């Protein structure tokens, strides 16, 4: 299982400074609301950290919209709530990004064709647990998540929701155990490139000969026709892991709480 606890904690404690501002067309008050600033965990989801944002802005919008679903936008792009915050930041920003991250808040004109609805934290919990189960099926021959007790599911969820590292990892370590195997069955990962759909493939952490695969090997499998995979830049958690990093180690230490590696791909010029 994951052994470099310092790495796990550093990843867990990653935060992004965000400046939220209400879209000017939705303000009905003569007074323009002040911007709202938060340090948000990279590993969390926006619906889990924006209750205070909603409370701050809702009094400045039309009363008919007070119960409307709040959604977020950056540079004209609607932000998918079911992606972890760190993934959204890395997808939408380049190396010269100015912090804080400026995000626009909306209560009107929900983009039905771009976003899923999220009516409560229960929706986020259902999505999170579904991802956990999918990752578990990919990693293990026996389904650990399915065989867990309800209290373990609850502890995982509360650890994520309340930003409690020890509470979360007390259970999540079971999902990183190898059992009688030396490696996971497959590496749970999701790649994102430009505006294309999320990329997933069945990729094993070792070759048929038992040699460890690394990040470069994964890129070769994803893009077999690419003349030079070193042109691909891979970002996760705001960093660029070396191409020779073993996939098994990455899965154990750099996965998000949903147990997936989330990798942002860009082509270097």
């Amino acid at each position: 299982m994951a052994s470099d606890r310092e790495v796990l904690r550093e990843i867990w404690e990653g935060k992004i400074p965000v400046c939220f501002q209400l879209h000017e067309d939705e303000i009905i008050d003569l007074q323009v609301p002040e911007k709202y600033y938060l340090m948000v965990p990279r590993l969390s989801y926006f619906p889990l950290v924006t209750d205070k944002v909603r409370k701050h802005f809702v009094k400045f919008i039309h009363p008919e919209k007070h119960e409307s679903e709040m959604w977020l936008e950056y540079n004209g792009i609607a932000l998918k709530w079911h992606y972890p915050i760190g993934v959204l930041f890395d997808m939408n920003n380049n190396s010269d990004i100015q912090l804080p991250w400026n995000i626009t808040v909306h209560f009107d004109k929900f983009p039905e064709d771009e976003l899923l609805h999220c009516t409560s934290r229960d929706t986020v919990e259902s999505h999170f647990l579904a991802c956990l189960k999918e990752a578990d099926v990919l990693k293990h021959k026996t389904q650990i998540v399915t065989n867990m007790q309800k209290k373990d599911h609850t502890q995982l969820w509360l650890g994520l929701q309340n930003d409690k590292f020890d509470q979360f990892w007390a259970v999540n370590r079971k999902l990183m155990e190898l059992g009688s195997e030396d490696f996971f069955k497959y590496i749970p990962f999701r790649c994102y490139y430009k505006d294309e759909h999320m990329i997933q493939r069945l990729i094993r952490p070792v070759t048929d000969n038992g040699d460890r695969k690394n990040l470069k090997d994964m890129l070769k499998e994803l893009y077999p026709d690419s003349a030079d995979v070193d042109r691909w830049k891979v970002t996760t958690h705001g960093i660029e892991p070396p191409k020779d990093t073993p996939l098994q180690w990455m899965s154990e230490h750099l996965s998000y709480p949903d147990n997936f590696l989330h990798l942002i791909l860009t082509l270097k010029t």
Side-chain angles (χ1 to χ4, degrees):
M1 63 167 277
S3 56
D4 294 342
R5 193 171 176 83
E6 295 82 4
V7 175
L8 300 178
R9 188 174 285 278
E10 285 288 331
I11 294 296
W12 184 275
E13 293 178 351
K15 301 285 193 298
I16 300 171
V18 179
C19 171
F20 297 92
Q21 51 190 350
L22 183 61
H23 192 279
E24 59 183 11
D25 291 347
E26 299 184 32
I27 302 171
I28 64 165
D29 201 280
L30 292 177
Q31 178 187 0
V32 176
E34 292 185 1
K35 298 175 181 179
Y36 197 87
Y37 294 86
L38 279 180
M39 289 290 288
V40 299
R42 272 184 160 269
L43 302 186
S44 190
Y45 299 86
F46 271 123
L48 302 184
V49 299
T50 51
D51 286 349
K52 291 181 179 179
V53 176
R54 180 185 182 90
K55 185 177 180 181
H56 176 72
F57 289 121
V58 75
K59 54 183 173 287
F60 294 96
I61 65 174
H62 197 285
E64 291 182 358
K65 299 295 181 182
H66 282 187
E67 302 302 319
S68 296
E69 185 174 346
M70 187 178 79
W71 60 280
L72 306 174
E73 168 216 322
Y74 171 69
N75 272 3
I77 300 170
L79 298 177
K80 295 178 171 63
W81 64 262
H82 60 289
Y83 285 8
I85 294 172
V87 175
L88 291 170
F89 181 80
D90 292 340
M91 286 174 66
N92 289 289
N93 292 286
N94 51 38
S95 58
D96 60 355
I97 176 64
Q98 297 294 312
L99 294 175
W101 188 17
N102 290 299
I103 289 178
T104 303
V105 176
H106 292 272
F107 293 88
D108 196 12
K109 298 178 181 176
F110 188 90
E112 301 280 352
D113 57 340
E114 297 178 62
L115 297 181
L116 300 173
H117 283 283
C118 180
T119 55
S120 70
R121 291 189 174 205
D122 290 343
T123 307
V124 186
E125 182 180 7
S126 296
H127 168 74
F128 172 68
L129 289 176
C131 291
L132 268 184
K133 290 177 181 177
E134 182 181 348
D136 186 33
V137 169
L138 290 169
K139 288 195 292 188
H140 302 110
K141 290 181 178 178
T142 57
Q143 295 181 20
I144 299 174
V145 174
T146 302
N147 295 328
M148 278 181 173
Q149 297 182 24
K150 171 65 175 174
K151 66 180 180 66
D152 291 327
H153 292 173
T154 301
Q155 183 168 336
L156 279 169
W157 170 242
L158 291 178
L160 172 63
Q161 181 178 249
N162 299 326
D163 196 20
K164 301 293 186 183
F165 174 84
D166 292 325
Q167 182 181 17
F168 179 84
W169 270 98
V171 177
N172 194 59
R173 64 178 179 79
K174 301 174 186 176
L175 302 179
M176 293 298 174
E177 290 174 348
L178 300 173
S180 60
E181 307 295 324
D182 293 326
F183 302 96
F184 293 147
K185 186 170 58 171
Y186 297 104
I187 298 295
F189 75 93
R190 290 171 175 168
C191 287
Y192 310 84
Y193 176 58
K194 292 186 176 179
D195 296 329
E196 295 178 7
H197 292 297
M198 182 175 60
I199 304 165
Q200 287 186 258
R201 299 281 191 278
L202 287 176
I203 292 185
R204 295 174 53 80
V206 291
T207 65
D208 292 339
N209 296 326
D211 297 326
R212 289 175 178 264
K213 290 183 187 175
N214 57 31
L215 185 55
K216 187 171 185 176
D217 296 322
M218 172 189 274
L219 291 172
K220 288 178 180 177
E221 290 189 46
L222 288 176
Y223 297 100
D225 298 328
S226 180
D228 182 11
V229 294
D230 285 328
R231 289 188 60 206
W232 287 104
K233 176 184 177 183
V234 181
T235 304
T236 185
H237 303 292
I239 60 175
E240 186 178 353
K243 296 285 198 319
D244 60 356
T245 308
L247 292 180
Q248 179 68 35
W249 188 93
M250 287 183 66
S251 188
E252 291 182 27
H253 297 88
L254 300 182
S255 291
Y256 275 74
D258 63 5
N259 277 229
F260 276 86
L261 287 169
H262 292 268
L263 308 173
I264 317 303
L265 305 182
T266 51
L267 269 176
K268 297 178 181 178
T269 54

